[in-house]
Amino acid sequence: MGLFSSKEKLPTMEDLLHHELADLYSAESQLVEALPKMAKAANDSTLRNAFTEHLEETKRQRDRLRQIAGMLNFEIDTTTCEAMKGLVKEGEEVINSEADPAVRDAALIGAAQRVEHYEMAGYGTAHTIANDLGHRDVANLLNETLQEEKNADKKLNEIALNRVNKKAERM
Ligand SMILES: [Fe+2]
């Protein structure tokens, strides 16, 4: 938010990269708060473990963004990611809903995969811009996180296919 609201100074690609990274930093920070609640709400033990593991990974990803902000020398804690706010809110609606545990787990996975895809889009964008601007070290770090988000998404898909949806369909 805010990058394109100033009339005085047109943003550069460097500004855009900082903005994308600040947005991701806010997204990861919100997720650090949300994932323990999702883990608590999960009925399936494999799903619960996946959320708990991704919480630790998310904390490392947030630290990585702080490291990148140090490398590029800008303030990263400057914005609120409104999209992640909405995704977290939708996740909370699932947590607070009354449903069969397996059906609720399937809905939790749906909410979590939306988050992963949002992050994949954000990291993909930031990675491309960083590369174009010649920030190779930054691009490599962003690619590490991008691959982790892809793996997290894949893992959720597998849990849905092999465990949760099968349980839910038996209801
Ligand atoms: Fe993440």
Side-chain angles (χ1 to χ4, degrees):
M1 291 272 288
L3 179 65
F4 298 99
S5 59
S6 165
K7 293 248 177 340
E8 288 120 61
K9 184 178 161 274
L10 292 176
T12 63
M13 283 304 272
E14 203 72 47
D15 294 331
L16 179 60
L17 177 60
H18 298 174
H19 174 76
E20 294 286 351
L21 294 168
D23 188 85
L24 282 164
Y25 184 79
S26 166
E28 299 289 18
S29 301
Q30 291 182 53
L31 209 51
V32 167
E33 302 295 316
L35 276 167
K37 295 178 205 164
M38 293 184 76
K40 214 175 142 203
N43 180 63
D44 183 271
S45 59
T46 306
L47 179 59
R48 202 180 315 126
N49 289 341
F51 283 145
T52 308
E53 277 167 29
H54 196 52
L55 170 65
E56 295 313 310
E57 198 167 50
T58 300
K59 287 179 189 167
R60 290 194 295 274
Q61 292 169 345
R62 189 181 53 175
D63 290 346
R64 200 177 277 151
L65 285 168
R66 214 177 284 142
Q67 183 193 346
I68 290 171
M71 289 158 78
L72 296 174
N73 195 24
F74 75 101
E75 200 74 51
I76 198 159
D77 194 5
T78 51
T79 192
T80 300
C81 175
E82 296 293 337
M84 185 58 81
K85 236 179 161 179
L87 290 170
V88 166
K89 197 171 156 237
E90 286 190 3
E92 271 165 9
E93 277 169 23
V94 176
I95 289 169
N96 298 324
S97 67
E98 303 239 351
D100 172 85
V103 175
R104 219 163 61 130
D105 277 358
L108 280 175
I109 290 175
Q113 283 193 286
R114 280 176 174 80
V115 167
E116 293 313 318
H117 279 253
Y118 179 78
E119 291 190 305
M120 277 150 59
Y123 278 106
T125 301
H127 173 260
T128 302
I129 298 172
N131 234 341
D132 286 347
L133 291 172
H135 299 305
R136 288 293 136 79
D137 293 347
V138 169
N140 287 342
L141 286 170
L142 291 171
N143 191 43
E144 261 179 60
T145 304
L146 179 60
Q147 297 314 317
E148 287 171 2
E149 307 293 23
K150 283 184 183 172
N151 286 338
D153 177 62
K154 211 172 130 204
K155 201 163 160 193
L156 286 167
N157 221 13
E158 279 161 12
I159 295 171
L161 281 170
N162 300 327
R163 298 180 62 91
V164 168
N165 291 4
K166 281 191 180 140
K167 278 194 227 171
E169 279 153 16
R170 255 183 255 131
M171 299 315 293

